[in-house]
């Protein structure tokens, strides 16, 4: 979808969302955007990047934003979105139709303090970086819940939820790190050349926000990893207790089986002629079982 043209203080803005082949051809023919650029900026596997074409005086920005697979289960990945300054026109590409990107773009458009296309880009990046924070808080809430469950009973559903948190943190932490690296690099690129004080302040705001988000995810990742380690330790300990109980029980049941097995043979055995021989064999079995349990206790196997 190519939305109608808008203006940002005199600069045209062309917004695109999930463009198809026909719309790609329109961008090539009507606006003169190279096919390779369109392929690059709409590739869902691209990572954060900034490219400046000195010949065309084009600037291309690629950043990563959170993309929800299942909000209720806190399953997130990241998807790229692009911004292209081409021949004095700003093009934005949201090929995955990421809600956070749409919100960021229109928040920057409605901001009365945004008085240039450069400020629009930086304000958009600031809001996208900021969109990671609610997810981090939701992860913290879910993590606290799982931590409480750990003190009661470990369930498979809790382990699955913890696995989802780890996957989400892996994707988002990596995206936050690469975004921050690019934000740190931007002031040294063509985009930051000759920046006035307002633009420098915007650079600093975005970088500070990026660093804050990075710290939040680093702490959350460490805590979730420790909870996962505790979950595994408890599960292993429970398994060890179960195996120990089954082993002792099997040893206990083996004693009467051995005794009764001897006296079940069709040959003449000692005490076989006694009237209460079966009670004697029962007593021998009980005595041997008690002796075995005492030995296991002494040897600290119980």
């Amino acid at each position: 979808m190519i939305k109608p043209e808008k203006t940002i203080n005199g600069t045209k803005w062309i917004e695109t969302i999930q463009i198809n082949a026909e719309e790609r051809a329109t961008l090539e023919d009507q606006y003169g955007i190279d096919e390779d650029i369109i392929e690059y900026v709409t590739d869902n596997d691209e990572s954060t990047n900034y490219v400046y074409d000195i010949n065309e005086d084009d600037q291309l920005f690629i950043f990563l934003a959170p993309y929800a697979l299942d909000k209720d289960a806190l399953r997130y990945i990241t998807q790229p979105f692009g911004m292209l300054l081409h021949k004095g026109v700003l093009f934005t590409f949201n090929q995955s139709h990421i809600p956070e990107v749409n919100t960021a773009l229109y928040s920057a458009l409605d901001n009365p303090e945004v008085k240039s296309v450069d400020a629009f880009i930086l304000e958009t990046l600031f809001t996208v970086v900021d969109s990671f924070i609610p997810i981090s808080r939701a992860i913290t809430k879910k993590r606290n819940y799982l931590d409480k469950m750990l003190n009661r009973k470990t369930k498979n559903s809790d382990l699955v939820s913890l696995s989802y948190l780890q996957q989400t943190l892996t994707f988002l932490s990596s995206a936050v790190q690469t975004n921050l690296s690019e934000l740190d690099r931007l002031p040294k690129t063509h985009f930051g050349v000759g920046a006035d004080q307002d633009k420098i302040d915007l650079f600093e705001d975005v970088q500070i926000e990026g660093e804050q988000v990075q710290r939040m995810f680093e702490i959350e990742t460490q805590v979730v990893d420790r909870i996962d380690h505790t979950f595994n330790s408890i599960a292993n300990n429970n398994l060890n207790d179960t195996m120990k109980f089954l082993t002792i029980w099997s040893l206990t049941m083996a004693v009467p089986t051995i005794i009764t097995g001897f006296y079940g043979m069709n040959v003449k055995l000692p005490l076989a002629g006694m009237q209460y021989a079966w009670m004697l064999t029962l007593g021998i079995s009980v005595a041997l079982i008690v002796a075995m349990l005492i030995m296991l206790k002494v040897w600290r196997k119980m």
Side-chain angles (χ1 to χ4, degrees), residues 25 27 161 170 202 271 275:
L27 291 175
S161 297
T170 298
L202 282 174
L271 309 178
Q275 183 179 0

Side-chain angles (χ1 to χ4, degrees), residues 29-233:
D29 299 337
Q30 185 172 342
Y31 297 99
I33 302 177
D34 190 78
E35 179 183 1
D36 292 338
I37 296 295
I38 297 177
E39 287 292 334
Y40 179 71
V41 81
T42 56
D43 186 353
N44 287 333
D45 295 324
E46 283 300 331
S47 184
T48 305
N49 200 5
Y50 168 81
V51 179
Y52 172 60
D53 187 342
I54 192 172
N55 296 320
E56 298 289 339
D57 196 27
D58 289 349
Q59 298 183 75
L60 175 63
F61 305 79
I62 304 288
F63 279 84
L64 296 174
Y67 183 81
L69 297 177
D70 185 346
K71 282 189 175 182
D72 294 334
L74 284 178
R75 297 192 65 186
Y76 282 85
I77 59 174
T78 57
Q79 291 291 300
F81 71 97
M83 293 181 285
L84 173 66
L85 280 171
H86 174 69
K87 296 181 179 179
V89 179
L90 175 65
F91 297 85
T92 58
F93 298 87
N94 187 4
Q95 194 65 12
S96 298
H97 203 347
I98 308 169
E100 287 80 3
V101 173
N102 294 330
T103 300
L105 290 170
Y106 283 92
S107 175
L109 182 66
D110 295 337
N111 189 338
E113 296 182 359
V114 173
K115 299 178 181 179
S116 67
V117 67
D118 289 354
F120 177 86
I121 292 171
L122 290 174
E123 283 291 344
T124 299
L125 296 181
F126 180 91
T127 307
V128 169
V129 170
D130 210 39
S131 68
F132 285 87
I133 294 179
I135 302 173
S136 177
R137 289 173 179 164
I139 291 174
T140 301
K141 184 177 179 181
K142 184 69 173 181
R143 179 254 296 168
N144 288 334
Y145 167 79
L146 292 175
D147 198 17
K148 291 179 181 178
M149 292 299 101
L150 179 64
N151 297 322
R152 300 177 187 176
K153 185 178 180 180
T154 304
K155 300 179 181 178
N156 287 339
S157 59
D158 294 333
L159 294 175
V160 171
S161 297
L162 187 64
S163 175
Y164 287 160
L165 287 188
Q166 288 181 308
Q167 293 174 19
T168 294
L169 284 169
T170 298
F171 282 114
L172 298 189
S173 296
S174 176
V176 167
Q177 178 61 49
T178 55
N179 281 350
L180 181 60
S181 297
E182 195 59 37
L183 289 172
D184 291 339
R185 190 174 75 92
L186 272 184
K188 305 179 184 68
T189 65
H190 179 80
F191 185 66
V193 173
D196 56 18
Q197 189 58 47
D198 289 340
K199 191 172 181 179
I200 292 173
D201 291 341
L202 282 174
F203 274 128
E204 291 179 353
D205 290 343
V206 179
Q207 289 169 331
I208 291 171
E209 192 72 6
E211 290 170 357
Q212 177 185 347
V213 173
Q214 182 190 31
R215 284 193 295 270
M216 291 175 67
F217 276 100
E218 284 179 350
I219 294 171
E220 203 58 46
T221 299
Q222 292 173 5
V223 175
V224 170
D225 285 344
R226 289 179 182 177
I227 292 176
D228 177 63
H229 178 73
T230 305
F231 262 118
N232 290 332
S233 298

